Structures are given as C-alpha cells and as structure tokens.
Amino acid sequence: MADPATLTTDAVRHHDPEARGFASDNYAGVHPEILAALALANGGHQVSYGGDEYTSHLQEVFQAHFGPRAEAFPVFNGTGANVVALQALTERWGAVITADSAHINVDECGAPERVGGLKLLTVPAEDGKLTPELIDREAYGWDDEHRAQPQVVSITQTTELGSCYTPEEIGAICEHAHERGMKVHLDGSRLANAAATLGVPLRAFTTDAGVDVLSYGGTKNGLLFGECVVVLEPSAVRAMKHLRKLSMQLASKMRFVSVQFEALLAGDLWLRGASHANAMAARLAAGVRTVEGVRILYPVEANAVFAALPHDVSERLQKRYPFYFWDEPAGVVRWMCSFDTTEADVDAFTAALAEEMAKG
C-alpha cells in the first residue's frame, strides 16, 4: 500500500477552511491527534464487528476512567447510543423520566419512542437539571396496568441549557431512583466538558455517583464519528450486543471507532479539548457582557453561552458567523465553543456583535 504522505485524491475541497462559527461543537473538524490515530489503525486486516485488537484494548481504556466493571460498546452516533442504552434498561412497557428540554425528548425525532419502543415522561426543569422532587412528579403508578411504568431516569451532563450537575446532585438522583426500583441513564454528549468544569475524574459523577449506564460523546470532543454506550452496572442491562445490532449501530470496521476513543482517553486529550472549549466560552461570555443591550440568560458552566438580543441583530450577525436561535420568538440564541475555537475567533465575534448592536 502506498505511503499516505505521498497520496493524492480526486476529492475537491468544497468549503473555506478558515470559516469559523459558534453554531455547534459538531461544526468543528477532527482533532489532528484523532486523525493520526485513524492512520495508525489503518492498513492490514482486522476482525470486523468489534473482534479487532483496538476494540478489545478499548475496554481497558474505559475501565481506567470508570472502574473495573465498565464495559464499552462503540456506536455510530449519540441518538443511537441513547436509544440502545435506554432499550437495555427498560422492558416493553417501560417509561423514562427526563427533563422536558432533554435531547432525547427534543432533538432525536422521536427515536427513543419510535425505535426504542418506550415512553418518555417529561418534567419541566428550569435550568435543565432534574432533582428528586421533579422526578417524583412522574415516579408513580407502578401497579397501574394502564400507565407506562417508570423504569429509568435519564439526565444529561452537561444539560441542554449548559448547566452542570455536581457529583452530589447526581448521587442524590441515583439514590432516589434506585430506592424506587428505577435505573439511571446519563446522556454524556458533553461529559468531558462537565469533568473540566468540576475538576474531578469522570467516574466521580458517573460510576461513583451510582449511574447505571451512560452514553459517552466523542464527536463533540474532537472525533470524526463515534460514541460509546458505557455500562457501569452490568446487572442493570440486558442483551446489549443484540440491541446494538438491532438498532443498526454495530460498525463493521469498528477498529476505526475504537482507536479514536483510545486516542481521546488513553491520555489527556479529552480533558485538554474540553477545558479549552470551556475557557473560550468563558471568554465569550465576558466579552458579551460588555456589549450594551445583550443579556446572558444562564450561568456559563461549560462551553455554551445563551443570550437574548434583538432579532434583527441576530439575523445580521448570523450572516457573518453561523449560530442558532434557541428560542426564536423570544430572541434567545445559543453560542457554542469547541476544541478549536481560538481567542481571536471569540474576540472577532464579540466585536462583530458590538458592531451590529450599535446599528440598532
């Protein structure tokens, strides 16, 4: 096989590599260290569907972070990870209690219900965080054959509103759920950002807090593609390998998912990227606060900034830097920072915001 360094391609670049934005941490490219890992795993033949050396070694990598009983199941994407995890935790008549703003409720096109075959029981959570008291709004009716049975509590870390649970808060949720015979799933698409904010190991607010299964996000942390369902309490799940295949989440060339997670987690790449993204969000928030007429709506605890500003200003600014409305009628926008956001990016965006606000 030819040396990759000497190869050319017939593909054509169709984007401006200097283009920057604050729409999503999914907009960022692939971290160079991840690309190097993919090249490392290429060449030769390896057993398909997870029988390869990289996926085998990956178990040790995850156990180093989450404890000796942790088992990782690589999948393609976050929705797939959530659906597989929730299916493994529920029976056909099962229901999942979650915040009304949760990704599984708002942004997965009904996949947990349509594909997973389960019922979502949502409760309003002002900052995106559940509490034992909020859980109890739906944690009832286990003997009622007319009601979907609450079997799982699903939380997101960090939440869709950028807030971060403390280990104690997650521990209280897990204790409360387990006392009522329910299990706990954690959607960790930005798990690394939470660890960077809290300054604690990943297991401190997952395994040690009592979480049964988590969805570990890689794409927002610099991967090309891939997430992992991580089973922390083996007795809580069933038929994981079958559910992964049934849900169309079993990668044939799984080594290329697994080696990315090894590159991410074997050292400190996961923490470096997340810490940088968080720092850029803090810088952005500090700059935005100096712009008259712009309000930051929630505490900036990770890599997201939510703000309110005039609708016409947002529309003009979007032509210069991509970002999304969070609640368009209310004029609420969301700005996301990623591992490759630079100080210059933040400062230029802040200056552009100030210019557009000054126009009125």
Side-chain angles (χ1 to χ4, degrees):
M1 190 173 68
D3 181 354
T6 66
L7 293 178
T8 60
T9 179
D10 291 330
V12 177
R13 175 172 279 158
H14 297 284
H15 80 291
D16 176 3
E18 301 302 319
R20 317 298 290 179
F22 294 85
S24 172
D25 32 11
N26 285 326
Y27 275 40
V30 184
H31 196 286
E33 293 179 40
I34 300 297
L35 288 174
L38 286 165
L40 182 73
N42 200 23
H45 289 197
Q46 277 282 291
V47 181
S48 58
Y49 298 109
D52 60 275
E53 297 294 335
Y54 294 92
T55 303
S56 176
H57 178 68
L58 186 64
Q59 304 309 314
E60 298 176 20
V61 174
F62 271 93
Q63 287 165 5
H65 286 283
F66 296 101
R69 296 201 302 162
E71 187 173 5
F73 294 85
V75 295
F76 288 114
N77 55 47
T79 296
N82 288 335
V83 169
V84 170
L86 293 174
Q87 282 181 300
L89 292 169
T90 55
E91 297 170 294
R92 287 291 295 159
W93 49 88
V96 176
I97 300 173
T98 193
D100 57 358
S101 58
H103 198 274
I104 59 173
N105 181 51
V106 176
D107 291 303
E108 294 186 346
C109 198
E113 295 174 310
R114 294 292 299 275
V115 179
L118 50 89
K119 173 70 174 176
L120 296 181
L121 303 173
T122 64
V123 294
E126 186 173 342
D127 59 356
K129 294 162 67 172
L130 290 181
T131 65
E133 294 74 23
L134 289 175
I135 290 168
D136 279 346
R137 293 189 183 186
E138 292 290 351
Y140 65 89
W142 287 280
D143 294 326
D144 183 354
E145 66 267 35
H146 301 287
R147 187 171 195 265
Q149 304 296 290
Q151 295 180 337
V152 176
V153 173
S154 181
I155 60 176
T156 310
Q157 178 77 318
T158 59
T159 74
E160 287 71 21
L161 297 179
S163 53
C164 185
Y165 287 96
T166 66
E168 293 75 20
E169 288 172 329
I170 294 179
I173 287 171
C174 291
E175 181 179 5
H176 192 75
H178 292 155
E179 285 176 351
R180 285 151 180 76
M182 297 186 292
K183 301 163 186 175
V184 178
H185 164 256
L186 189 151
D187 181 348
S189 64
R190 296 185 176 95
L191 200 72
N193 299 92
T197 293
L198 296 168
V200 299
L202 290 166
R203 67 172 295 158
F205 55 92
T206 54
T207 311
D208 295 346
V211 172
D212 295 297
V213 177
L214 67 90
S215 303
Y216 192 104
T219 309
K220 293 178 173 63
N221 207 185
L223 269 61
L224 171 63
F225 70 97
E227 318 286 306
C228 265
V229 178
V230 187
V231 176
L232 305 178
E233 176 47 64
S235 66
V237 302
R238 58 193 174 91
M240 272 295 306
K241 66 178 183 179
H242 301 296
L243 288 169
R244 177 172 59 176
K245 177 65 173 181
L246 178 69
S247 299
M248 298 173 284
Q249 289 292 318
L250 181 65
S252 58
K253 297 184 179 181
M254 196 179 295
R255 59 170 151 160
F256 296 108
V257 184
S258 299
V259 74
Q260 292 180 82
F261 274 104
E262 180 179 348
L264 189 70
L265 292 168
D268 67 349
L269 178 58
W270 65 278
L271 185 59
R272 281 188 278 125
S275 297
H276 177 79
N278 289 2
M280 292 301 97
R283 184 183 184 93
L284 176 59
V288 166
R289 286 191 178 98
T290 67
V291 180
E292 186 176 353
V294 180
R295 291 185 298 117
I296 293 179
L297 300 179
Y298 305 112
V300 179
E301 297 181 351
N303 63 324
V305 179
F306 292 82
L309 60 154
H311 190 277
D312 58 338
V313 172
S314 293
E315 289 189 322
R316 293 198 304 268
L317 189 59
Q318 283 176 324
K319 295 176 181 179
R320 302 172 66 174
Y321 292 92
F323 62 88
Y324 289 116
F325 281 102
W326 184 257
D327 182 350
E328 187 166 1
V332 178
V333 299
R334 186 193 71 168
W335 300 316
M336 299 297 305
C337 296
S338 62
F339 75 87
D340 65 349
T341 303
T342 67
E343 292 184 355
D345 294 335
V346 170
D347 296 345
F349 178 79
T350 303
L353 172 62
E355 290 173 10
E356 297 300 341
M357 286 294 294
K359 295 176 184 177

